[in-house]
């Protein structure tokens, strides 16, 4: 059974940093694209970033470029999102998800991030 | 960036009725690189359809997807109580990946 578990969310002040983690099990992690998707309170889904199987390609939504970095560690079956220079508008539940292509077949339950003073 | 517009914003229907949800892209999504997701309150999204018309594993056949290019449709042939939720389309053709704003299917 596929299992994705996010961690690392919490309350952070504007301008601060957080590192989100996603632990994967039950599938061949190194074979699939992985993504971060966020959802602000009461709003729709927003794709944030994805990373290719071998880490050689990374894509970001414009609003997080130069602030967020996606990475993966295949030996640990883990996905990460380093978030710097956080803003109030980054407040959301952050989901990790993955699949063989760019659709997201499997999703974690999400970790909440609140950016507030 | 490809913008996806979903309509209607809210669909009020009774159990057993047919639901037709629309997703329109601002430019072609190529070889049908479009997915549909269902999200219930407090839960993560769930993949229903990818490649515009291929049901994901375990998805009942009352869910079907159609369309190509810029116009796509998700049809639920007979609503079950558990189908009342928010539905999102997502284009997987080019980065940045984008989602539509969602259609809420509510009980009438």
């Amino acid at each position: 059974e596929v299992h994705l578990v996010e961690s690392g969310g919490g309350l952070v002040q504007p301008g601060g940093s957080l590192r989100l983690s996603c632990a994967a099990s039950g599938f061949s992690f190194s074979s699939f694209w992985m993504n971060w998707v966020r959802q602000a309170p009461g709003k729709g889904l927003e794709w944030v970033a994805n990373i290719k199987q071998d880490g050689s390609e990374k894509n970001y939504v414009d609003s997080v470029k130069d602030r967020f970095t996606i990475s993966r560690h295949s030996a640990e079956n883990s996905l990460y999102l380093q978030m710097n220079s956080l803003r109030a508008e980054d407040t959301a539940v952050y989901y990790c998800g993955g699949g063989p292509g760019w659709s997201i077949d499997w999703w974690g339950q999400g970790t909440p991030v609140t950016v507030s003073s | 960036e490809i913008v996806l517009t979903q309509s209607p914003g809210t669909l009020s229907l009774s159990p057993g009725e047919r639901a037709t949800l629309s997703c329109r892209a601002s430019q072609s999504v190529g070889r049908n690189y479009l997915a549909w997701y269902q999200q219930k309150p407090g839960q993560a999204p769930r993949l229903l359809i990818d490649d515009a018309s291929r049901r994901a594993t375990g998805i009942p056949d009352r869910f079907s997807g159609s369309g190509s290019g810029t116009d796509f449709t998700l049809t639920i042939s007979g609503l079950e109580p558990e189908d009342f939720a928010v539905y999102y389309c997502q284009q997987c053709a080019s980065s940045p990946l984008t989602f539509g704003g969602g259609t809420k299917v509510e009980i009438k």
Side-chain angles (χ1 to χ4, degrees):
Chain A
E1 182 185 358
V2 173
H3 213 50
L4 294 168
V5 180
E6 301 94 337
S7 60
L11 174 64
V12 61
Q13 292 189 338
S17 298
L18 275 179
R19 188 192 195 211
L20 305 184
S21 300
C22 173
S25 61
F27 69 105
S28 181
F29 178 78
S30 60
S31 298
F32 298 118
W33 282 86
M34 294 298 296
N35 300 263
W36 288 99
V37 174
R38 66 185 179 184
Q39 187 168 36
K43 302 297 184 181
L45 301 172
E46 181 184 34
W47 174 82
V48 174
N50 68 3
I51 184 168
K52 197 175 179 179
Q53 290 87 335
D54 62 359
S56 62
E57 180 179 342
K58 303 176 185 181
N59 300 292
Y60 299 90
V61 68
D62 281 352
S63 60
V64 309
K65 277 180 184 174
D66 301 324
R67 298 190 300 124
F68 290 10
T69 302
I70 189 171
S71 62
R72 64 192 297 163
H73 195 304
S74 290
E76 296 178 353
N77 285 350
S78 292
L79 176 73
Y80 303 101
L81 186 68
Q82 178 66 44
M83 305 188 297
N84 298 329
S85 303
L86 283 161
R87 306 166 180 168
E89 54 265 36
D90 297 317
T91 294
V93 174
Y94 284 72
Y95 297 100
C96 74
W102 278 2
S103 61
I104 302 173
D105 294 55
W106 309 295
W107 296 72
Q109 284 305 301
T111 186
V113 171
T114 302
V115 184
S116 175
S117 55
Chain B
E1 171 178 324
I2 298 177
V3 176
L4 299 180
T5 302
Q6 290 188 243
S7 60
T10 302
L11 200 51
S12 298
L13 295 168
S14 300
E17 289 193 295
R18 180 186 191 92
T20 303
L21 287 65
S22 173
C23 177
R24 177 164 290 179
S26 60
Q27 56 189 277
S28 176
V29 299
R31 195 175 61 85
N32 301 327
Y33 289 124
L34 190 105
W36 290 94
Y37 302 86
Q38 177 193 67
Q39 188 179 33
K40 297 179 182 179
Q43 296 185 17
R46 176 175 70 146
L47 178 67
L48 298 175
I49 301 282
D50 66 8
D51 287 348
S53 61
R54 182 176 64 183
R55 272 189 302 276
T57 303
I59 301 304
D61 61 7
R62 64 180 180 272
F63 291 92
S64 63
S66 63
S68 64
T70 60
D71 288 299
F72 297 87
T73 301
L74 175 69
T75 302
I76 311 171
S77 60
L79 284 163
E80 297 288 343
E82 61 268 28
D83 299 337
F84 292 91
V86 180
Y87 293 83
Y88 295 94
C89 57
Q90 179 209 10
Q91 65 83 14
C92 309
S94 64
S95 182
L97 307 184
T98 48
F99 289 91
T103 291
K104 182 180 181 180
V105 178
E106 65 175 23
I107 300 176
K108 185 174 181 180

